[in-house]
Amino acid sequence: SGLVAFGTAIEMPMVNRTDWKMAGWATSANATPNDVETPAQTMPDNDLTYYAIWILKTNYVTWKRNYSENDDANFTATPVEVGNAITAPSGAPTREHYQFIGWSATRDGDVITDGNYGTMDENKKEFYARWELNKNTLTWDANGGTIVTSGTTGLVEYGAAITEPTVERNGYTFKGWGATAAATENDAVE
């Protein structure tokens, strides 16, 4: 900045701005990154002002699907401008036999329940999907008989071992369990 003689080589200064990156120079203070110009190499025969044009830095938040301890695959990655709040992606990952329960800052950490994922800075961020095994209600119906010893009942996680109850009914031989009250011996589930 200052008086520069006509024809003198122009040297552009080095400039920095926290959380911003420089897009280039323009002769208008209201210029956008699309208006960036190649500065003159030498001083013209008129006054000249160049303005630094800035773009807010963007970094990526990676949302990991976290299927297992060794799974490092991404569900998605979202760009977030430095200084802005991080928000969870729309939609949720899916996993067979599991229910997605939210995102965590660590692979096995607590789910972030308040929606506060922090503010983007110059470091990349990662969040991990957290899962819970599907649970279904298991009920045993003796269908006219009596349950003698109890078995597994209530909410049962997918894949959990199930203990059948012992049942009896006067005048009948137990043949197995069916999915409906009208099931016959041929419908028995083993």
Side-chain angles (χ1 to χ4, degrees), residues 18-125:
T18 302
D19 297 336
W20 294 78
K21 65 180 179 180
M22 188 173 168
W25 298 95
T27 54
S28 168
N30 297 324
T32 69
N34 293 331
D35 302 321
V36 169
E37 305 169 24
T38 301
Q41 299 294 313
T42 59
M43 187 65 191
D45 191 16
N46 57 287
D47 289 345
L48 181 62
T49 300
Y50 281 109
Y51 298 90
I53 305 303
W54 299 98
I55 300 171
L56 193 57
K57 287 182 182 176
T58 299
N59 216 331
Y60 280 85
V61 177
T62 305
W63 304 88
K64 302 283 187 179
R65 66 182 192 178
N66 196 26
Y67 284 3
S68 67
E69 184 178 312
N70 299 319
D71 179 26
D72 206 33
N74 295 342
F75 167 64
T76 190
T78 54
V80 179
E81 290 180 342
V82 171
N84 286 354
I86 298 169
T87 56
S90 60
T94 58
R95 182 177 178 191
E96 188 173 19
H97 307 300
Y98 286 82
Q99 179 180 349
F100 173 73
I101 57 172
W103 297 102
S104 173
T106 60
R107 186 175 296 280
D108 57 356
D110 293 334
V111 171
I112 298 169
T113 57
D114 63 2
N116 183 3
Y117 298 96
T119 301
M120 193 70 219
D121 57 27
E122 292 194 19
N123 300 310
K124 292 182 180 180
K125 305 283 185 197

